[in-house]
């Protein structure tokens, strides 16, 4: 039987070379982008968001699921190419690329995209306030919400930390890489370790800070209780990507993709338990604030299990069907997915502003909002990518 210790150290720490794109990972990333757009399209029609008079419980089910995994999975996918990129390019060159790809869009979006998005909300409550006055108050007085672009500065911060750690010890993530290579045949081992580590970071964080506590400084914000969870996902991804990613957990002929039904069960069970706990909170405990520690602890454990399980499920699905030809929507959208993530938020919020006064079912409003958000953000990204040099950023 192959053991973790039998993988040679020299193989793991070898400097990787540039490779062709991994089709399954590209499709997973594009799929996640569509999940983000769906998440923002249905929030107004949920118990959590409920900024519209119409609601539909099915959207609460969607939001609970998406909020529990999609940003963590983005950090995981980004981490896959971090350590190998630093080794190949050098820390300074790598950070220069990341500043262009992450830092510049963050600054531009913070001053343009985000104010445009939140003005739609402001206009509903304060129709007498013009956009220029709203923008000035947002930037100078605050609060200055970041919307979904908080992901950019946090990811850039993780990249900086990765560069520092790589400089201190290039072999620091070798144990994760060896575990990934072992996980080619025994993915459950990687699952167990990743779950244990992510839960160790997330459970105390949720119990200490609760689900609603955010660090906020101007447009820089991140959820206190989740920042270390996101960091653990990022560095697990970085460890897999140290070397030989195509021979480890994510290999085309690995076992992870062959046991996708197992990951589905592992995702469904904790998801149902999350809803059980939500019922207890609302109907038995009466929505107390703060919630008891036992409740926060149980919720955090179920959250952690669901988050890792659905990560494995999605990766297994796209890995399993990576050779199944083209994906009619995901493949053409792949090169535009990042730009769609950046520009979609004001489109989604202004569509919701427009739909607010129509007496339509929540399902109709959300469907119209989602379809048009995808179409408009895709078209806008395509147009922006025609600007000379824009493809280096978008």
């Amino acid at each position: 039987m192959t053991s973790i210790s039998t993988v040679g150290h020299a193989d793991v720490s070898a400097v990787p070379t540039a490779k062709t794109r991994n089709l399954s990972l590209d499709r997973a990333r594009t799929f996640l982008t569509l999940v983000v757009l769906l998440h923002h399209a249905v929030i107004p029609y949920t118990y959590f968001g409920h900024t519209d008079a119409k609601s539909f419980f099915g959207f609460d089910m969607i939001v609970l699921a998406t909020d529990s995994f999609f940003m963590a999975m983005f950090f995981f996918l980004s981490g896959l190419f971090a350590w190998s990129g630093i080794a190949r390019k050098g820390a300074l060159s790598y950070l220069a690329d990341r500043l262009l790809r992450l830092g510049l869009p963050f600054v531009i979006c913070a001053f343009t995209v985000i104010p445009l998005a939140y003005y739609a909300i402001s206009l509903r409550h304060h129709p007498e306030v013009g956009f220029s006055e709203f923008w000035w108050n947002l930037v100078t007085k605050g609060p200055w919400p970041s919307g979904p672009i908080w992901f950019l500065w946090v990811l850039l911060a993780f990249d900086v930390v990765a560069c520092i750690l790589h400089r201190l010890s290039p072999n620091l993530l070798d144990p994760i890489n060896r575990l990934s290579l072992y996980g080619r045949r025994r993915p459950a081992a990687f699952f167990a370790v990743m779950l244990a580590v992510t839960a160790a970071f997330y459970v105390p964080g949720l119990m200490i800070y609760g689900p609603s506590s955010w660090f906020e400084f101007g447009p820089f914000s991140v959820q206190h209780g989740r920042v270390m969870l996101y960091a653990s996902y990022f560095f697990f991804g970085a460890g897999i990507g140290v070397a030989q990613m195509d021979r480890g957990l994510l290999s085309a002929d690995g076992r992870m993709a062959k046991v996708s039904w197992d990951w589905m069960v592992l995702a469904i069970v904790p998801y149902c338990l999350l809803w059980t706990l939500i019922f207890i909170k609302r109907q038995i405990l009466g929505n107390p604030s703060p919630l008891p520690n036992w409740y926060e602890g149980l919720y955090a454990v179920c959250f952690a299990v669901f988050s890792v399980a659905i990560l494995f499920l999605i990766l297994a699905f796209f890995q399993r069907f990576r050779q199944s030809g083209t994906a009619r929507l995901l493949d053409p959208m792949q090169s535009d997915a990042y730009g769609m993530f950046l520009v979609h938020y004001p489109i989604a919020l202004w569509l919701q502003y427009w739909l607010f006064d129509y007496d339509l079912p929540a399902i109709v409003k959300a469907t119209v909002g989602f379809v048009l958000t995808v179409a408009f953000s895709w078209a806008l990204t395509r147009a922006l990518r025609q600007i000379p040099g824009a493809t280096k950023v978008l």
Side-chain angles (χ1 to χ4, degrees), residues 50-324:
H50 208 49
T51 55
D52 193 288
K54 306 293 185 179
S55 63
F56 174 58
F57 179 71
F59 294 152
D60 290 86
M61 298 178 69
I62 291 173
V63 168
L64 177 66
T66 55
D67 180 65
S68 302
F69 81 92
F70 66 162
M71 297 314 297
M73 188 169 180
F74 267 128
F75 283 110
F76 175 87
L77 292 175
S78 300
L80 287 172
F81 306 97
W83 208 259
S84 58
I86 297 168
R88 188 172 65 252
K89 298 179 181 180
L92 292 180
S93 179
Y94 177 80
L95 283 180
D97 290 345
R98 302 308 278 167
L99 282 170
L100 181 65
R101 185 80 167 165
L102 299 173
L104 181 60
F106 177 81
V107 172
I108 293 174
C109 289
F111 283 95
T112 58
V113 170
I114 294 305
L116 281 171
Y118 281 97
Y119 184 57
I121 299 176
S122 172
L123 201 60
R124 179 65 58 186
H125 301 287
H126 304 286
E128 74 283 358
V129 177
F131 178 72
S132 59
E133 181 182 355
F134 170 79
W135 185 91
W136 182 251
N137 289 334
L138 183 83
V139 172
T140 59
K141 298 178 181 179
W144 190 349
S146 62
I149 68 166
W150 65 264
F151 170 76
L152 303 181
W153 83 265
V154 175
L155 179 57
L156 181 60
F158 290 165
D159 282 323
V160 172
V161 173
C163 287
I164 295 172
L165 294 177
H166 188 275
R167 181 64 180 265
L168 294 175
S169 175
N171 302 322
L172 183 65
L173 300 185
D174 285 5
I176 297 177
N177 194 266
R178 288 194 289 271
L179 183 63
S180 171
L181 295 175
Y182 180 75
R184 178 179 183 173
R185 296 181 59 190
R186 298 289 186 271
F190 196 100
F191 176 89
V193 173
M194 186 171 179
L195 174 58
V197 172
T198 55
F201 281 117
Y202 180 63
V203 174
L206 183 65
M207 295 180 69
I208 294 171
Y209 294 106
S212 304
S213 177
W214 285 72
F215 163 82
E216 294 178 317
F217 181 75
F220 298 91
S221 62
V222 67
Q223 213 165 345
H224 279 123
R226 294 191 184 182
V227 63
M228 292 306 297
L229 173 75
Y230 295 145
S232 64
Y233 271 78
F234 175 84
F235 282 102
F236 266 104
I240 293 173
V242 164
Q244 303 185 96
M245 186 164 65
D246 58 341
R247 291 178 53 193
L249 182 74
L250 303 180
S251 62
D253 59 347
R255 181 161 173 74
M256 185 178 75
K258 296 180 174 62
V259 292
S260 53
W261 286 105
D262 295 16
W263 310 128
M264 184 175 294
V265 172
L266 281 170
I268 290 174
V269 171
Y271 178 76
C272 293
L273 291 175
L274 286 174
W275 274 113
T276 301
L277 289 169
I278 291 172
F279 175 83
I280 292 172
K281 178 183 71 171
R282 295 176 183 173
Q283 303 300 323
I284 298 178
L285 299 180
N287 275 325
S289 182
L291 287 160
N293 283 337
W294 66 264
Y295 180 93
E296 295 284 30
L298 284 175
Y299 191 93
V301 170
C302 293
F303 179 103
V305 177
F306 173 74
S307 183
V308 179
I310 200 167
L311 166 75
F312 272 59
L313 175 62
I314 294 171
L315 290 174
F317 175 83
F318 285 105
Q319 200 71 27
R320 187 169 187 170
F321 298 105
R322 66 181 299 182
Q323 305 298 337
S324 61

Side-chain angles (χ1 to χ4, degrees), residues 28-52:
R29 187 182 295 106
T30 306
F31 167 76
L32 279 184
T33 302
L34 291 177
V35 170
V36 171
L37 272 61
L38 176 65
H39 180 89
H40 290 142
V42 304
I43 276 185
Y45 316 107
T46 64
Y47 178 93
F48 171 76
H50 208 49
T51 55
D52 193 288

Side-chain angles (χ1 to χ4, degrees), residues 317-384:
F317 175 83
F318 285 105
Q319 200 71 27
R320 187 169 187 170
F321 298 105
R322 66 181 299 182
Q323 305 298 337
S324 61
T326 61
R328 292 182 180 273
L329 180 64
L330 298 182
D331 288 349
M333 191 181 287
Q334 187 273 320
S335 60
D336 301 309
Y338 180 52
M340 292 172 64
F341 174 85
L342 294 177
V343 306
H344 83 277
Y345 203 48
I347 296 172
L349 267 58
W350 277 101
L351 285 170
Q352 291 159 15
Y353 174 85
W354 169 63
L355 289 165
F356 184 86
D357 293 324
Y358 288 88
D359 187 20
L360 297 170
I363 295 178
V364 175
K365 288 188 174 185
T367 301
V368 171
F370 174 64
V371 172
L372 292 182
T373 298
V374 172
F376 291 160
S377 60
W378 194 0
L380 178 57
T381 300
R382 280 286 175 96
L384 291 173

